[in-house]
Amino acid sequence: MYSAIQLVKKYVHYYINASSSKGHGVHSPFVFDFITNVLNDRTAYDCYDSIEEQRKQLLSNAKVIKVEDFGAGSAVIKTNRRVVHKIASSSLKHSKYARLLYRIVQHYRPYNIIELGTSFGISTAYMANANPEAMVYTLEGAASIAEIARQNFEMLAIKNIQLREGSFEQTLQPLLSEVQNVGLAFVDGNHRKEPTLQYFRQLVSHSTSATILVFDDIHWSEEMEEVWAEIRQHPAVTLTIDLFFIGLVFLNPDFKIKQHFKIRF
C-alpha cells in the first residue's frame, strides 16, 4: 500500500493530466454522455438520506466483533477482534463514490449486479436502490461483517440483495455459473494482484457487450496499478475511465478503437 504522501503525489499528477469533469475535449459521445448524465448528476435521490443514516450509525458503533481477513490486510487468513466504527471508517466507500455507483446503475440499468466485498453493505444498498428490478449478489468473506450488512438491508427494507458468505475463491465461480451473464460488477476486496486479475478474468468470461466492471482503489498500491495496467491492455476491454479512486471498464466491441480516459472527479 502506498503511503499517504505517495497517494497525494499520485493524485496531483492524475488531476493535472485528467480531462475536465465538464467534458471539454472529450470526443467520445459515450464518455461525454457518461460525464454529463452520470458523473455530473447532482440530483439528491430519495434513498440517499436513509442510507447515509445507516452509515452514521455504523461510524458510532463501538461493538467489538471477530473478523476473518481474507484480503490484502493479512498475509494469511486469521481472526482479529475489531471495533465496528473503525472497520466502517476504513472500509466503507465514501458517499461520493457510493452515489456514483447508484447513478451508474440507474443510468445503464444492469440486471445482474455482482459486488466482491460487501463490508457493511452501504455501496450494496446504493446499487440495489438504483434499480429495484435488478438482483444484487454481494460476496463477503467475514461472517460477522455479513451479519451486520444483513441487518442494514433489513433496516433499509431492501429486498433485491442476495448476500453470500465465504472467500471469493469459494463463492464467485459458482455464482457466475448460476447467473451466466454479468451486467455490472464492483470489485472491492482483496487488493492483491493475482487474485484481482483472476476475478477480472472470471467476470470477463461471463460478460456481454453491455457489461460494466468497476474496480476500487486502482492506485492504492503498486500491485493495484499493475492490475489496472493489465486490465486496460486486455483484448476484451475497449474503453476505460480512470477516476483515480475507482476505475471503470467497458467491454463493448462497438468501440472500434481501444480508448482510455482520465477524468477529474
Side-chain angles (χ1 to χ4, degrees):
M1 178 180 174
Y2 287 129
S3 68
I5 293 174
Q6 288 174 308
L7 281 173
V8 168
K9 289 180 178 178
K10 286 181 174 292
Y11 183 81
V12 170
H13 182 268
Y14 147 83
Y15 193 86
I16 291 171
N17 291 279
S19 298
S20 167
S21 60
K22 302 299 182 183
H24 302 312
V26 174
H27 301 295
S28 165
F30 180 88
V31 176
F32 187 82
D33 173 76
F34 169 78
I35 293 172
T36 303
N37 295 309
V38 181
L39 204 65
N40 291 327
D41 180 0
R42 305 297 185 226
T43 307
Y45 291 100
D46 290 342
C47 70
Y48 284 7
D49 287 345
S50 58
I51 296 175
E52 288 306 310
E53 180 58 35
Q54 290 301 114
R55 185 197 298 271
K56 287 181 182 179
Q57 292 185 25
L58 291 165
L59 290 171
S60 62
N61 189 332
K63 182 179 180 181
V64 177
I65 60 175
K66 290 183 178 181
V67 178
E68 305 83 15
D69 194 338
F70 292 88
S74 173
V76 294
I77 298 173
K78 62 185 180 181
T79 300
N80 295 306
R81 293 178 63 82
R82 301 182 190 175
V83 181
V84 169
H85 70 75
K86 290 185 177 180
I87 300 173
S89 64
S90 64
S91 69
L92 294 182
K93 206 61 189 163
H94 190 280
S95 60
K96 175 179 179 178
Y97 294 94
R99 291 174 179 182
L100 176 60
L101 289 171
Y102 174 96
R103 299 194 299 271
I104 290 170
V105 170
Q106 183 193 61
H107 189 69
Y108 297 108
R109 312 300 289 182
Y111 183 71
N112 288 323
I113 299 170
I114 296 176
E115 179 183 45
L116 278 70
T118 312
S119 186
F120 294 132
I122 295 300
S123 55
T124 326
Y126 271 109
M127 291 188 289
N129 269 283
N131 183 8
E133 296 179 359
M135 180 57 69
V136 180
Y137 303 91
T138 184
L139 310 181
E140 174 55 49
S144 56
I145 289 178
E147 179 57 31
I148 294 174
R150 287 193 181 94
Q151 294 170 12
N152 287 328
F153 302 151
E154 185 175 349
M155 290 289 293
L156 292 166
I158 303 173
K159 305 298 184 183
N160 59 324
I161 295 174
Q162 286 190 22
L163 193 160
R164 303 192 182 191
E165 292 180 29
S167 70
F168 300 157
E169 286 71 23
Q170 296 172 323
T171 55
L172 179 56
Q173 190 55 54
L175 173 59
L176 291 172
S177 298
E178 178 183 329
V179 303
Q180 294 297 315
N181 294 324
V182 178
L184 180 143
F186 177 42
V187 181
D188 181 19
N190 202 313
H191 289 60
R192 291 178 294 181
K193 181 177 179 179
E194 290 307 320
T196 304
L197 286 173
Q198 179 60 28
Y199 309 147
F200 166 70
R201 296 184 192 108
Q202 289 175 279
L203 292 165
V204 167
S205 69
H206 289 79
S207 67
T208 70
S209 62
T211 298
I212 302 170
L213 306 178
V214 183
F215 288 85
D216 191 42
D217 290 332
I218 58 173
H219 297 288
W220 185 75
S221 65
E222 184 176 355
E223 274 196 282
M224 287 304 294
E225 290 191 323
E226 290 173 358
V227 167
W228 183 240
E230 289 199 30
I231 287 172
R232 291 172 64 203
Q233 295 305 313
H234 191 279
V237 173
T238 53
L239 188 151
T240 64
I241 299 176
D242 182 342
L243 301 175
F244 191 78
F245 289 106
I246 64 172
L248 280 62
V249 178
F250 299 87
L251 309 170
N252 190 336
D254 290 341
F255 304 141
K256 302 299 183 183
I257 300 174
K258 191 183 286 280
Q259 301 177 82
H260 306 295
F261 295 86
K262 291 183 180 179
I263 301 170
R264 293 174 192 160
F265 181 57

